[in-house]
Amino acid sequence: MSDLQILQHGFIDYLLGKESGIDQHIQSTPTLSAGKRLNIYAYAYKARLKEAVTTDYEKLHSYLGDEQFDQVMERYIEKYPSQETNLRYYSIKMPALLRDEEPFNKIPMLAEIADIEAAFANSFDAKDSPTMSLNDLASLPDSAWKTLRFSTHPSIQLLSFNHNSFDVWKALSEDKEPPEMEHFSAPETRLMWRDSELITRYRPLSAAEATALAFARQGQTFAAICESLLDHFTEEEVPVHAITFLQTWVQEGLVSSLNY
Amino acid sequence: MKIDNPRPFLGFGLGLRTEHYQHVIEHKPQVDWFEIISENYMVPGGKPLANLDKIRADYPMVMHGVSMSIGSTDPLNKQYLTDLKTLINRVEPFWYSDHLCWTHAHQVNSHDLLPLPYNEATIQHLVSRISQVQEFIGRPMLIENLSSYVTYNESEMAEWAFLNEIAKRSGCYILLDINNIFVSAHNHHFKPQDYINGIDNERVMQFHLAGHSYQGEMIIDTHDHDVCDPVWELYTYALKRFGAVSTMIERDDNIPKFSELRQELASAERLAQKTLRAEQLLISGRPVLKGVA
């Protein structure tokens, strides 16, 4: 290792609260020791990461309150030293932390609230993409339907909930008292996406539509999507439902291209 | 790498901040140019880039980065440089800049502007990396002096001599942050005027002005206050030394209304008008730091 590399590794270790020896490389002045000077950087490192996490998980913060949210942040920062070039992406593992680690996973709603906030951020600055219109759909030749596939808008996020976390998030967003935690007998799915005005939208999805949209996002053909709906509808009902789903997706700006 | 001389003068700019998007888009206030934080727009799409495009249609821009980590001993981040180049092609800025620092090493990003030891080995390291960046981007870059709170035992020269040498050998230019000179001068007990006198005039391309905060015996570069009187005095001193230099005010926290920042920028304009001749303050046409291999 070069001298500069030794120095930089030591500096980083100091920021992370590890043994480093970096203070041996720093000049002390009569009124301020090397350690106190280094602590300015150590304090700023944590403060900057906490600011990023606080910005990204505003509703989780409201739900937990300052003290408990600070415990979450402390653990997050300890577990995940930043490897991101852009601070925007630092907190993306928050749902995983809350899902995987005690005591946070004792309240499963926390990970789901974090999922919502992460999905908003991901939808907000997802890649731009053109969107198809109902005219484009109507102009498809009959022969297209056999092999028709779609590409969907990059801002689409599908969120699955085992609890009423979305209602809690919504109440917190409206500065209302959140409802008590409720466990669902079957998971509920919500769709989130960015519309043509760049506003992030969301709505619930039925189990059938969630299945169909998941198939569409995998690049499956319209025929395969129809087949997947046989678990939800009779053979006679499937085409009408499949077409209705597709028209809705096109109207909402979820379909970026029609390929056949 | 070469640029057209004499030094292009863009006039007086402000840092573009999200809090002011709506005001800028709706009212198109008079500002000569905006400086953007590059990383804020190094995202795939959505509102940040849509707002950027709208504002760029009405204003010239320069780009200022915080994450190149030019002084790091980790390899240059090729993905970062590719994304930066993509953004440069989109924005077509007058120039792009980053800091005389390192931010990432040992597989960790500090998200801070960490100082370097000022010695020959570090100069060689930086010159090599700046040259690689300039080659990849195809244009010379500006390097900014930072506020710092530590001095390494390994430092063998003054920061201004270190910065001059890097600029001379790599062909990069200097973004001189007047507030950072003031802050570091206080924290490391040197005269800020010595810094300004020591910098090579012909390498200076832009000035930054900003506010700071006192924390015990140290001054911290917080960008959360107005520019203070001693920094205005130092700015006047720098104008006398360098002449007209494109100047902008950085505000990153405790952000006031746009009109208040615009008034503060007017103070910089008035000082320049008092200090320099009118013909020195004529804004250049369309100066572009195009790299010539």
Side-chain angles (χ1 to χ4, degrees):
Chain A
M1 281 208 286
S2 69
D3 290 348
L4 186 57
Q5 202 168 19
I6 291 167
L7 195 148
Q8 291 184 346
H9 286 199
F11 208 121
I12 289 290
D13 283 343
Y14 191 91
L15 297 185
L16 300 179
K18 297 179 186 171
E19 286 291 320
S20 75
I22 184 67
D23 52 338
Q24 302 304 311
H25 297 267
I26 304 294
Q27 289 180 14
S28 290
T29 51
T31 50
L32 213 58
S33 67
K36 281 186 176 164
R37 286 175 176 266
L38 282 164
N39 279 345
I40 294 171
Y41 291 100
Y43 174 82
Y45 170 71
K46 197 177 261 192
R48 198 165 279 118
L49 296 183
K50 282 189 176 182
E51 189 185 353
V53 175
T54 305
T55 303
D56 294 344
Y57 294 96
E58 196 184 332
K59 305 300 178 292
L60 183 68
H61 183 187
S62 303
Y63 188 70
L64 285 171
D66 290 343
E67 200 176 315
Q68 290 191 57
F69 187 67
D70 197 61
Q71 283 176 24
V72 170
M73 289 197 293
E74 288 281 347
R75 177 62 189 136
Y76 191 88
I77 290 166
E78 183 191 7
K79 184 167 182 179
Y80 301 112
S82 179
Q83 294 174 341
E84 300 294 337
T85 305
N86 197 332
L87 207 47
R88 147 75 179 89
Y89 300 106
Y90 172 63
S91 70
I92 53 173
K93 296 183 187 116
M94 180 60 84
L97 175 85
L98 299 175
R99 198 159 270 128
D100 295 344
E101 279 207 7
E102 288 188 10
F104 314 122
N105 60 7
K106 298 277 184 202
I107 311 171
M109 194 178 257
L110 298 182
E112 292 188 352
I113 294 172
D115 277 336
I116 299 168
E117 301 205 82
F120 259 98
N122 292 336
S123 191
F124 175 77
D125 59 13
K127 199 169 188 292
D128 297 314
S129 185
T131 51
M132 296 291 105
S133 67
L134 285 177
N135 268 347
D136 295 321
L137 193 61
S139 309
L140 287 175
D142 288 347
S143 59
W145 290 90
K146 278 185 192 162
T147 55
L148 182 64
R149 294 171 199 269
F150 322 98
S151 65
T152 52
H153 198 273
S155 68
I156 292 176
Q157 313 281 319
L158 287 178
L159 295 160
S160 180
F161 298 102
N162 290 310
H163 303 83
N164 58 333
S165 309
F166 204 87
D167 295 332
V168 169
W169 172 85
K170 200 157 185 301
L172 293 167
S173 301
E174 293 163 357
D175 281 332
K176 291 178 184 162
E177 188 64 26
E180 289 294 314
M181 184 167 84
E182 185 190 323
H183 186 269
F184 295 150
S185 51
E188 289 189 0
T189 308
R190 287 200 176 245
L191 164 67
M192 190 182 284
W193 78 103
R194 192 178 73 217
D195 71 10
S196 58
E197 301 295 313
L198 306 179
I199 308 291
T200 300
R201 306 280 179 195
Y202 50 83
R203 66 173 172 86
L205 284 184
S206 66
E209 190 180 0
T211 304
L213 187 54
F215 265 65
R217 293 183 78 205
Q218 289 164 15
Q220 303 273 5
T221 61
F222 184 68
I225 293 170
C226 287
E227 208 174 311
S228 77
L229 291 175
L230 286 170
D231 291 342
H232 301 275
F233 306 111
T234 65
E235 203 169 334
E236 292 73 31
E237 290 170 334
V238 161
V240 174
H241 285 288
I243 286 287
T244 307
F245 288 154
L246 180 55
Q247 284 175 333
T248 306
W249 300 341
V250 167
Q251 278 178 310
E252 289 176 332
L254 302 177
V255 179
S256 285
S257 68
L258 300 163
N259 312 305
Y260 52 91
Chain B
M1 301 242 176
K2 290 194 286 189
I3 66 152
D4 298 332
N5 277 319
R7 170 171 40 230
F9 178 60
L10 311 181
F12 298 85
L14 285 174
L16 183 62
R17 302 294 178 258
T18 51
E19 289 82 350
H20 299 141
Y21 281 167
Q22 212 50 41
H23 179 85
V24 173
I25 289 167
E26 281 176 20
H27 300 285
K28 298 185 174 44
Q30 193 283 316
V31 183
D32 293 333
W33 48 281
F34 281 108
E35 181 184 87
I36 62 165
I37 303 291
S38 309
E39 288 78 2
N40 290 353
Y41 306 95
M42 289 162 76
V43 292
K47 264 193 182 169
L49 288 168
N51 283 324
L52 176 68
D53 288 346
K54 274 187 204 164
I55 296 169
R56 176 65 185 91
D58 294 316
Y59 295 91
M61 287 183 178
V62 305
M63 283 170 47
H64 186 51
V66 294
S67 305
M68 190 182 285
S69 198
I70 197 72
S72 174
T73 48
D74 280 357
L76 280 168
N77 183 334
K78 291 206 172 117
Q79 185 59 54
Y80 176 86
L81 293 178
T82 302
D83 293 345
L84 182 66
K85 191 172 182 175
T86 302
L87 188 66
I88 286 171
N89 289 338
R90 183 179 192 128
V91 174
E92 297 184 336
F94 286 126
W95 53 68
Y96 66 103
S97 59
D98 209 296
H99 298 81
L100 185 69
C101 75
W102 60 286
T103 57
H104 183 283
H106 208 9
Q107 288 80 53
V108 174
N109 199 331
S110 68
H111 301 288
D112 202 351
L113 309 172
L114 303 175
L116 290 154
Y118 303 142
N119 57 39
E120 176 60 29
T122 318
I123 289 173
Q124 288 181 22
H125 180 65
L126 274 150
V127 168
S128 162
R129 286 167 65 97
I130 291 171
S131 300
Q132 289 175 59
V133 170
Q134 295 182 143
E135 184 69 27
F136 180 79
I137 301 288
R139 296 167 66 168
M141 67 179 297
L142 273 59
I143 291 283
E144 179 185 2
N145 60 301
L146 65 153
S147 287
S148 65
Y149 316 108
V150 296
T151 302
Y152 297 101
N153 293 326
E154 290 79 357
S155 283
E156 294 164 356
M157 61 184 78
E159 185 178 296
W160 54 89
F162 178 76
L163 183 51
N164 280 340
E165 200 57 30
I166 286 166
K168 190 170 84 181
R169 292 194 211 170
S170 71
C172 78
Y173 291 84
I174 295 173
L175 194 175
L176 204 57
D177 188 313
I178 306 297
N179 176 61
N180 286 347
I181 293 175
F182 182 83
V183 170
S184 288
H186 175 92
N187 292 342
H188 303 303
H189 313 294
F190 62 80
K191 282 186 190 166
Q193 292 82 1
D194 287 347
Y195 199 121
I196 287 171
N197 292 337
I199 285 286
D200 286 345
N201 187 347
E202 68 272 18
R203 306 309 305 176
V204 176
M205 197 57 68
Q206 187 188 334
F207 284 161
H208 269 173
L209 295 167
H212 55 246
S213 302
Y214 280 81
Q215 208 175 87
E217 294 167 45
M218 301 289 266
I219 302 182
I220 309 294
D221 180 34
T222 45
H223 295 190
D224 60 352
H225 284 76
D226 292 347
V227 179
C228 66
D229 287 343
V231 171
W232 284 125
E233 285 165 24
L234 201 58
Y235 175 56
T236 308
Y237 189 88
L239 287 170
K240 287 176 183 164
R241 161 96 171 91
F242 299 110
V245 175
S246 309
T247 298
M248 64 82 66
I249 296 179
E250 281 186 304
R251 187 68 173 251
D252 295 309
D253 214 342
N254 191 22
I255 294 178
K257 285 198 294 191
F258 187 88
S259 56
E260 288 175 35
L261 271 185
R262 184 65 191 82
Q263 277 179 20
E264 196 179 23
L265 188 64
S267 302
E269 292 179 71
R270 280 194 297 276
L271 275 179
Q273 284 158 5
K274 260 201 243 175
T275 311
L276 302 173
R277 298 187 310 279
E279 63 268 26
Q280 286 179 280
L281 292 169
L282 288 175
I283 292 177
S284 313
R286 175 77 176 120
V288 175
L289 296 195
K290 290 269 189 212
V292 180

